């Protein structure tokens, strides 16, 4: 009996105008976004390669210790699963002319299409599932058979979900095909697993909205009422709660000014540092004043004498070492001071972030977005991981550069921070995306939430239907 | 006769459950949006005063911090305000550095626009318009009342006009009332200046919002006249709405980037940083003797890089704007943000102003840090005047909205004339 009911639902939906219209729209949108995103991926990739080359080129000619920091930054290649955009590839790089269009109309990727179009699809398929049958008079007919109400509802759910799943899988496979054919990206086993995970999350998400529509169709006697209720429920869950939540969180846990913090940091690590360093250096130089046979240590004469006379050389070396120790100490202290500023800022950010997440859980859309981006390795945790890797790389690179500097100095004592420093043997940044198991571990929580939404709404639908007057 | 029908329509709507649900939702969301965006504006103003304070130079500090004040009308259309007010450090040696913006910590929802008035109109009001219109014709046919009305001595033209008038009034009058109340509440709040200039701009925004709503209402009537059943009409209307409001603008700008590809802003930033390091390197290596090196040469090269990129960016933006205008939602966004001073043209003006400032103050910026050097001037950015904003594209976009509105109305009326009332 159950099987027949599901089959009947399937047929009903597949032949309906609403299914055909919705499927067409979904297919077109997923394909269009896949088309565009795959070109984006291709371009990002080409740009990534070109930038590494450009960096190499630059360093081969102009590398010097003093200004390596701003030029050598770690970046990650674009994620191969181009269908999920998520967070930017370059964490925390503000630029003067970032594309304002993308800010006005953020590009639509697969999770966005699912979040808006497929959830609407679920609503449209389900809003008159029960009361529509009552209006047509078929509900009494069906219930006159030996069918329990729960069975009927479960069959309706299963039938609708099968149709939704079929439409989704068809659209998303078309999208994946377009991406694989056009972008030249290769999806490893992990990528395929992640892709399957994103699809699963999307389907569970759609299920929540289908259940919501079922619930309203059993709560309201007329379908003209349930359509309103479902659409407004959808508006609230999809269009209001997610994008209001960060703003509400910001009011309860405001952030200190980022720009002022940056400006302070810069002052601490440059002007103030220079001031302190120079003062320390002067003190050291004062100590050595008159101990050189030649007066000014920066003159041509001095360089010659230092090179020729071992005693003078030792003395000079000693002074330089002391000066460098002074600078190293000042640098360390100022860096620490700047780090403390940063940490306070990050603590506050974290607090707001977590509050924002908690508020956003009042809708099933955020868990979908979190799960998809984490699975695609473009989400928050992945970005944290990338940042940690970038930091580790940065400190390794710093060690390498300082070592190289010392080497040059042992060859030529007068070698300075503004002299060309060959860094061609530097370590390269190799981004290791989180393994699939890790991504899944993070996404699990969000899957559970989505499943919870589904269960709660379906339960609501069952309870409403048990009390439904079929006349 | 037309007015009589309009009155009947209006009363019909006023008594319906649909009306109450829609208007309650609109009132709640408008109130919520007003409050949330007002608080957001307050927080950003606090941030602005912190930045103002911080912009004062400390002893020996290099560079000038350029600070831009948040726009009060950003409460209604936030647009690019967050991007514009992030704070910039201008130096003669490293160019213009943009600071991290003051944005909510959770950035994944950047996919959706902030919940301002623009968003409410764009998303909710259009949806309400469609919900009011989708059964205008097909519903009456299903109820059998269409035959009844048409058997009276009334022309179809009059009927259509009356239905449209009545339906539109039922949506827009409550909207205007709620908006008026929200504005009144907002104007009495402390910390936000809404003068006559702002109210003039707001009036044009409201005009655009009405045109936009009318457009979607007409679209709903059109769909209603074409569909066989009102359930079918609703499906088509909903999907059409989703495509026009979300899909077209969001896919459109990516299409523009396909047609006119643009290197990313980050790559440009790296190029400029490298230019800076290279310039300093060569300058120090030549011990300052090389006349081609030095800050002047660096700034020439830097300005050229910015100028080139901005020109390419402007080209892509223009194309993208043109493509996105297919969607009335995008056109509405342009009108709102341009009027609020948070739009694309204002952002371009700001970039130019920063560049100008740097060029004009270059000597002072170069000498900065030396003894007795006069401090560079403070950066001031004057927002575009209302007339400037109007002539700079708002009128065009309003025209596009009005024309497409008229076209859809004509189409809807034409379809209604051919409806089979059985």
């Amino acid at each position: 009996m159950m099987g027949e009911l599901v089959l009947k639902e399937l047929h009903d939906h597949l032949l309906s105008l609403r299914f055909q219209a919705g499927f067409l729209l979904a297919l077109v949108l997923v394909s269009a976004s896949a088309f565009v995103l795959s070109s984006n991926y291709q371009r990002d990739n080409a740009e990534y390669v070109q930038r590494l080359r450009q960096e190499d080129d630059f360093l081969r000619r102009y590398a010097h210790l003093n200004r390596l920091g701003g030029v050598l930054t770690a970046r990650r290649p674009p994620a191969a699963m181009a269908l999920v955009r998520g967070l930017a590839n370059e964490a925390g790089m503000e630029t003067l002319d970032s594309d304002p269009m993308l800010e006005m109309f953020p590009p639509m990727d697969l999770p966005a299409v699912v979040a808006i179009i497929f959830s609407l699809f679920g609503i449209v398929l389900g809003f008159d599932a029960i009361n529509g049958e009552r209006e047509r008079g078929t509900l009494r007919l069906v219930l006159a058979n030996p069918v329990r109400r729960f069975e009927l509802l479960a069959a309706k759910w299963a039938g609708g979900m099968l149709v939704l799943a079929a439409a989704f899988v068809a659209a998303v496979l078309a999208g994946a095909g377009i991406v694989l054919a056009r972008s030249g990206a290769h999806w490893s086993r992990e990528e395929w697993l992640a892709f399957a995970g994103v699809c699963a999350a999307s389907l569970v998400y759609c299920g929540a909205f289908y259940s919501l529509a079922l619930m309203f169709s059993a709560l309201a006697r007329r379908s003209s009422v349930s359509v309103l209720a479902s659409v407004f429920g959808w508006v609230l869950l999809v269009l209001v709660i997610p994008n209001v939540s960060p703003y509400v969180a910001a009011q309860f846990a405001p952030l200190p000014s980022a720009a002022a913090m940056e400006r302070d940091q810069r002052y601490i690590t440059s002007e103030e540092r220079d001031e302190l360093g120079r003062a320390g250096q002067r003190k050291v130089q004062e100590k050595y004043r008159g101990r050189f046979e030649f007066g000014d240590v920066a003159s041509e004469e001095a360089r010659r004498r230092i090179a020729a006379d071992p005693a003078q050389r030792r003395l000079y070396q000693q002074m330089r070492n002391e000066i460098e120790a002074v600078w190293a100490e000042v640098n360390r202290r100022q860096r620490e001071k700047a780090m403390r500023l940063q940490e306070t800022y990050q603590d506050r950010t974290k607090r707001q972030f977590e509050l924002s997440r908690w508020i956003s859980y009042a809708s099933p859309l955020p868990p979908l977005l979190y799960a998809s981006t984490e699975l695609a390795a473009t989400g928050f945790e992945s970005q944290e991981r990338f940042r940690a890797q970038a930091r580790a790389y940065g400190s390794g690179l710093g060690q390498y550069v300082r070592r190289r500097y010392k080497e040059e100095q042992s060859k030529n004592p007068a070698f300075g921070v503004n002299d060309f420093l060959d860094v061609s043997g530097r370590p390269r940044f190799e981004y290791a995306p989180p393994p699939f198991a890790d991504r899944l571990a993070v996404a699990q929580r969000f899957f559970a939430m989505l499943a919870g939404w589904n269960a709660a709404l379906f339960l609501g639908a069952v309870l409403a239907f048990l009390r439904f007057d079929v006349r | 006769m037309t007015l009589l029908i309009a009155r009947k329509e209006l009363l019909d709507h006023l008594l319906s459950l649909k009306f109450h649900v829609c208007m309650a939702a609109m009132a709640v969301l408008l109130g919520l949006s007003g409050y949330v965006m007002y608080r957001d504006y307050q927080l950003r103003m606090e941030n602005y005063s912190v930045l103002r304070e911080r912009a004062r130079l400390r002893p020996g500090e290099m560079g000038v911090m350029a600070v831009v004040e948040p726009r009060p009308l950003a409460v209604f259309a936030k647009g690019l305000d967050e991007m514009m007010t992030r704070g910039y450090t201008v130096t003669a040696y490293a160019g213009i550095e943009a600071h991290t913006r003051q944005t909510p910590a959770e950035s994944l929802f950047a996919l959706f626009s902030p919940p301002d008035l623009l968003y409410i109109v764009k998303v909710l009001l259009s949806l309400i318009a469609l919900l009011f219109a989708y059964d205008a014709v097909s519903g009456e046919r299903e109820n059998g009342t269409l035959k009844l009305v048409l058997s009276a001595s009334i022309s179809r033209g009059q009927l259509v006009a009356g239905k449209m008038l009545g339906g539109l009034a039922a949506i827009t009058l409550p909207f205007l009332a709620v908006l008026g109340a929200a504005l009144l509440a907002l104007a009495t709040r402390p910390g936000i200046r809404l003068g006559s200039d702002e109210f003039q701009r707001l009036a044009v925004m409201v005009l655009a919002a009405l045109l936009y709503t009318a457009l979607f209402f007409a679209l709903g009537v059109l769909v209603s006249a074409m569909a066989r059943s009102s359930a079918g009409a609703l499906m088509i209307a909903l999907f059409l709405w989703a495509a026009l409001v979300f899909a077209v603008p969001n896919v459109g700008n990516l299409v523009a980037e396909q047609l006119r590809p643009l290197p990313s802003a980050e790559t440009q930033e790296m190029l400029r940083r490298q230019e800076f390091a290279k310039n300093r390197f060569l300058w120090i290596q030549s011990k300052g003797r090389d006349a081609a090196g030095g800050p002047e040469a660096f700034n020439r090269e830097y300005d050229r890089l910015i100028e080139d990129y901005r020109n390419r960016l402007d080209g892509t933006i223009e194309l993208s704007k043109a493509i996105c205008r297919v969607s009335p939602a995008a056109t509405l966004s342009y009108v709102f943000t341009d009027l609020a001073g948070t739009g694309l043209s204002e952002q371009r003006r700001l970039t130019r102003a920063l560049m100008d400032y740097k060029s004009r103050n270059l000597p002072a910026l170069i000498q900065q840090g030396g003894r007795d050097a006069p401090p560079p001037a403070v950066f001031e950015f004057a927002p575009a005047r209302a007339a400037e904003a109007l002539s700079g594209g708002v009128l065009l976009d309003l025209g596009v909205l009005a024309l497409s509105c008229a076209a859809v109305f004509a189409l809807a009326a034409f379809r209604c004339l051919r409806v089979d009332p059985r």
Side-chain angles (χ1 to χ4, degrees):
Chain A
M1 193 64 195
M2 187 75 177
E4 278 163 37
L5 282 173
V6 173
L7 217 64
K8 177 222 152 222
E9 283 298 316
L10 261 177
H11 283 158
D12 269 5
H13 280 311
L14 284 178
L15 296 176
S16 67
L17 169 74
R18 54 180 89 170
F19 172 75
Q20 286 156 7
F23 178 56
L24 194 69
L25 179 70
L27 187 68
V28 168
L29 278 185
V30 172
S31 309
S33 101
F35 191 83
V36 174
L37 288 172
S38 59
S39 315
N40 259 21
Y41 169 80
Q42 221 175 6
R43 226 180 39 226
D44 282 357
N45 221 11
E47 200 173 296
Y48 174 77
V49 173
Q50 185 226 326
R51 264 167 72 181
L52 289 186
R53 204 176 307 130
Q54 183 188 316
E55 186 182 279
D56 259 357
D57 241 29
F58 171 82
L59 291 175
R60 206 172 303 126
R61 282 187 287 177
Y62 308 112
H64 56 292
L65 184 69
N66 211 3
R67 287 178 196 81
L68 273 180
V71 177
L72 276 174
T73 55
R75 58 182 72 93
R76 61 176 172 184
M81 206 209 312
L83 283 167
V84 182
R85 275 175 64 95
L87 297 166
N89 285 328
E90 241 143 335
M93 189 169 177
E94 284 281 348
T95 59
L96 179 62
D97 263 338
S98 41
D99 190 346
M101 263 331 250
L102 291 180
E103 206 137 326
M104 292 272 268
F105 307 112
M108 240 185 169
D109 57 354
L110 181 64
V113 176
V114 172
I116 296 175
I117 306 298
F118 275 97
S119 60
L120 195 61
F121 202 179
I123 294 280
V124 161
L125 286 186
F127 79 93
D128 62 349
I130 306 290
N131 54 20
E133 287 224 36
R134 186 193 69 82
E135 283 166 357
R136 286 193 298 273
T138 49
L139 191 58
R140 277 158 96 174
L141 225 60
V142 175
L143 286 179
N145 291 304
V147 176
R148 273 181 297 161
R149 288 196 175 195
F150 174 78
E151 278 177 356
L152 179 61
L153 198 69
K156 282 203 172 287
W157 191 85
M161 280 310 289
L162 276 176
V163 168
L164 264 177
F168 177 76
V169 168
V172 95
L173 282 183
I178 290 173
V179 166
L180 286 175
R182 292 196 74 237
S183 72
H186 172 71
W187 284 6
S188 63
R189 199 176 137 269
E190 298 220 318
E191 242 68 56
W192 279 107
L193 283 173
F195 176 66
V198 171
C199 293
S202 306
L203 278 176
V204 184
Y205 169 81
C206 291
F209 281 93
Y210 186 61
S211 304
L212 180 83
L214 278 185
M215 186 175 83
F216 280 123
S217 86
L219 275 174
R221 307 235 350 116
R222 282 181 300 135
S223 60
S224 57
V225 175
S226 62
V227 72
L228 275 183
S230 319
V231 166
F232 279 107
W234 176 81
V235 165
L236 190 71
L237 292 179
V238 173
L239 299 179
V240 179
I241 291 175
N243 61 345
V244 168
S245 60
Y247 286 87
V248 173
Q251 279 159 32
F252 291 108
L255 293 182
S257 167
M261 192 241 347
E262 282 172 359
R263 188 97 171 130
D264 282 345
Q265 267 189 331
R266 178 218 277 272
Y267 181 71
I268 289 167
T269 55
S270 53
E271 287 97 352
E272 199 180 48
R273 177 204 64 168
D274 291 351
E275 196 62 35
L276 292 170
R278 263 188 241 117
Q281 182 173 355
R282 267 198 301 276
K283 235 182 258 163
V284 176
Q285 279 165 342
E286 206 58 43
K287 210 166 78 187
Y288 283 89
R289 182 178 294 263
R291 289 173 64 186
F292 289 108
E293 290 164 14
F294 46 85
D296 180 12
V297 287
S299 65
E300 277 304 310
E301 161 78 4
R303 281 183 184 236
R304 209 169 43 73
R305 288 294 296 271
I306 290 168
D309 183 349
Q312 289 286 316
R313 188 143 118 202
R314 256 198 310 284
L315 193 64
Y316 181 72
Q317 198 72 52
Q318 203 180 336
M319 180 180 85
R320 277 197 62 142
N321 285 347
E322 272 183 48
I323 288 176
E324 260 168 31
V326 164
W327 276 103
E329 176 60 18
V330 167
N331 271 331
R332 192 188 58 76
R333 233 182 309 148
Q334 297 301 98
R335 251 206 308 273
E336 253 173 37
K337 204 166 148 189
M339 276 305 267
R340 271 201 301 281
L341 266 186
Q342 177 112 26
E343 273 163 19
T344 341
Y345 181 78
Q346 275 168 351
D347 282 350
R348 301 271 295 271
T349 314
K350 197 158 188 291
R351 226 170 44 214
Q352 191 193 81
F353 177 83
E354 267 160 17
L355 183 62
S356 171
R357 287 230 153 168
W358 274 109
I359 300 174
S360 73
Y361 292 150
S363 151
L365 192 156
L368 166 75
L369 208 54
Y370 302 150
S372 322
T373 51
E374 292 303 350
L375 284 169
T378 52
F380 177 76
E381 294 289 337
S382 312
Q383 204 181 33
E384 286 293 287
R385 197 187 158 100
F386 162 59
R387 282 191 183 152
Q389 284 181 17
R391 267 197 302 277
Y393 167 73
S395 62
L397 187 67
Q399 277 167 13
Y400 166 81
V401 170
R402 276 193 295 279
R403 199 179 66 234
R404 282 283 306 122
Y405 183 64
K406 283 268 177 311
E407 279 170 21
E408 288 296 324
Q409 242 182 9
S410 66
K411 278 185 236 156
N412 169 16
F415 189 81
V417 289
N418 287 319
D419 288 318
F420 175 73
L421 182 68
D422 180 13
V423 290
S424 52
R426 69 183 182 283
R428 306 297 168 114
F429 181 63
E430 291 281 347
Y431 172 61
F436 178 70
D438 286 13
R439 303 186 212 169
L440 193 62
V442 179
Q444 251 169 17
R445 203 151 40 104
F446 305 122
F447 271 105
M449 280 181 208
L450 284 174
W453 270 100
N454 250 300
L457 289 169
F458 185 68
L459 191 67
V462 171
L463 290 180
F465 187 43
L466 289 182
R467 297 163 38 99
F468 191 76
D469 181 359
V470 295
R471 282 166 302 174
Chain B
M1 198 63 192
T2 305
L3 284 180
L4 195 68
I5 293 173
R7 192 160 159 269
K8 177 228 146 216
E9 268 304 298
L10 183 60
L11 289 180
D12 262 6
H13 279 304
L14 289 185
L15 294 175
S16 68
L17 173 74
K18 182 158 68 179
F19 178 80
H20 291 111
V21 173
C22 287
M23 292 311 142
M26 193 178 69
V28 169
L29 287 184
L30 263 181
L32 180 72
S33 141
Y35 181 72
V36 165
M37 295 312 289
Y38 164 68
R39 284 288 302 151
D40 178 60
Y41 173 72
Q42 268 191 325
L43 282 178
R44 293 194 304 125
M45 280 306 278
E46 274 168 34
N47 183 56
Y48 168 69
S49 62
V50 168
L51 284 187
R52 268 321 270 255
E53 198 52 42
R54 186 61 194 84
R56 229 175 273 157
L57 289 174
R58 293 186 181 169
E61 192 169 26
M62 299 289 278
V64 170
M65 191 163 184
V67 189
V68 180
E69 188 178 348
R71 297 296 166 77
L73 285 182
V75 172
F76 305 106
K78 195 168 179 191
L80 303 169
D81 210 34
E82 214 165 63
M83 180 183 185
M84 283 160 62
T85 55
R86 59 194 155 161
Y88 308 83
T89 291
V90 185
T91 62
Y93 297 93
I96 304 168
E97 176 202 353
H99 286 292
T100 301
R101 65 187 74 187
Q102 200 69 15
T103 176
E106 172 62 272
S107 45
L108 268 175
F109 296 112
L111 171 68
F112 302 92
S113 342
D116 47 16
L117 176 68
L118 168 63
Y119 182 70
I120 303 269
V121 171
K122 193 162 79 171
V123 173
L124 194 69
L125 212 56
S126 57
L127 185 63
I128 290 179
L130 283 179
L131 285 180
F132 270 58
Y134 80 90
D135 58 355
V137 178
S138 50
E140 288 228 30
R141 188 173 47 196
E142 281 167 8
N143 294 339
T145 47
L146 193 59
K147 269 156 108 172
L148 221 63
V149 175
L150 284 179
S151 63
S153 61
I154 174 173
S155 79
R156 285 190 176 204
Q158 283 173 325
L159 181 68
V160 171
K163 278 183 110 33
M164 287 197 184
L165 266 179
L168 262 181
I171 307 166
T172 50
L173 294 182
F175 167 69
L176 290 178
V178 175
L179 183 64
L183 280 179
L184 213 63
L186 204 62
T188 55
R189 304 288 298 183
I192 183 162
R193 291 187 327 270
L194 291 178
S196 67
D197 176 61
E198 275 81 20
F199 275 106
Q200 279 166 18
R201 288 167 189 249
L202 267 172
V204 184
M205 284 187 198
V206 170
L207 174 69
L210 293 183
L211 279 175
Y212 177 76
T213 313
L215 194 156
F216 271 91
F217 186 79
L219 202 63
V221 173
L222 176 66
V223 171
S224 176
M226 287 170 78
R228 272 181 300 123
S229 69
S230 52
L234 180 64
M235 301 309 112
I236 305 291
L238 277 181
F239 285 131
L240 205 60
W241 169 80
L244 282 181
V245 173
F246 294 104
V248 172
N250 296 12
V251 174
N253 62 26
L254 288 183
V255 173
E257 288 198 359
Q258 305 275 301
L259 298 176
R260 264 192 212 166
L262 198 65
S264 75
E266 283 84 10
T267 298
Q268 292 302 305
E269 174 71 25
M270 285 316 287
L271 268 180
R272 298 194 290 257
R273 284 188 194 179
Q274 288 173 1
E275 185 57 40
F276 159 65
K278 170 186 154 194
N279 177 278
R280 296 308 293 161
F281 176 73
L282 293 176
W283 176 245
I284 291 170
Q285 288 298 306
S286 69
K287 300 210 165 48
R289 280 190 298 266
D290 183 6
E296 287 90 354
F298 164 69
N299 276 286
R300 266 198 302 281
E301 188 57 26
Y302 183 87
D303 291 355
R304 195 187 58 76
L305 281 173
I306 295 243
E307 196 72 28
D308 279 0
Y309 187 61
R310 187 70 222 192
N311 286 340
R312 288 183 68 180
L313 187 62
D314 284 346
T316 309
I317 289 176
E318 280 314 312
L319 180 66
S320 180
K321 268 181 102 164
I323 294 177
C324 291
R325 277 205 189 94
V326 172
S327 150
T331 317
L332 182 80
S333 304
Y334 301 143
V335 174
F336 264 63
T337 52
D338 279 343
L339 280 168
T342 56
L344 293 161
S345 51
E346 194 72 358
Q347 199 267 336
R348 179 185 314 150
R349 274 189 70 229
L350 177 63
T351 306
R352 299 251 181 257
L354 282 165
M355 297 294 292
D356 268 4
Y357 170 81
K358 184 166 73 67
S359 312
R360 260 187 290 115
N361 292 285
L362 198 57
L365 285 168
I366 291 173
Q367 282 165 26
Q368 204 186 12
R371 279 184 204 293
D372 321 317
V378 176
F379 174 77
E380 300 281 358
F381 179 60
R385 282 191 309 276
E388 227 172 302
L390 271 180
S391 60
V394 171
L395 280 182
L396 171 71
D397 284 316
L398 270 180
V400 170
L401 266 185
L403 269 182
S404 40
C405 188
V408 180
F409 258 104
L411 216 60
F414 180 68
R415 272 307 303 197
C416 286
L417 294 184
R418 300 171 28 127
V419 162
D420 180 1
R422 280 166 303 174

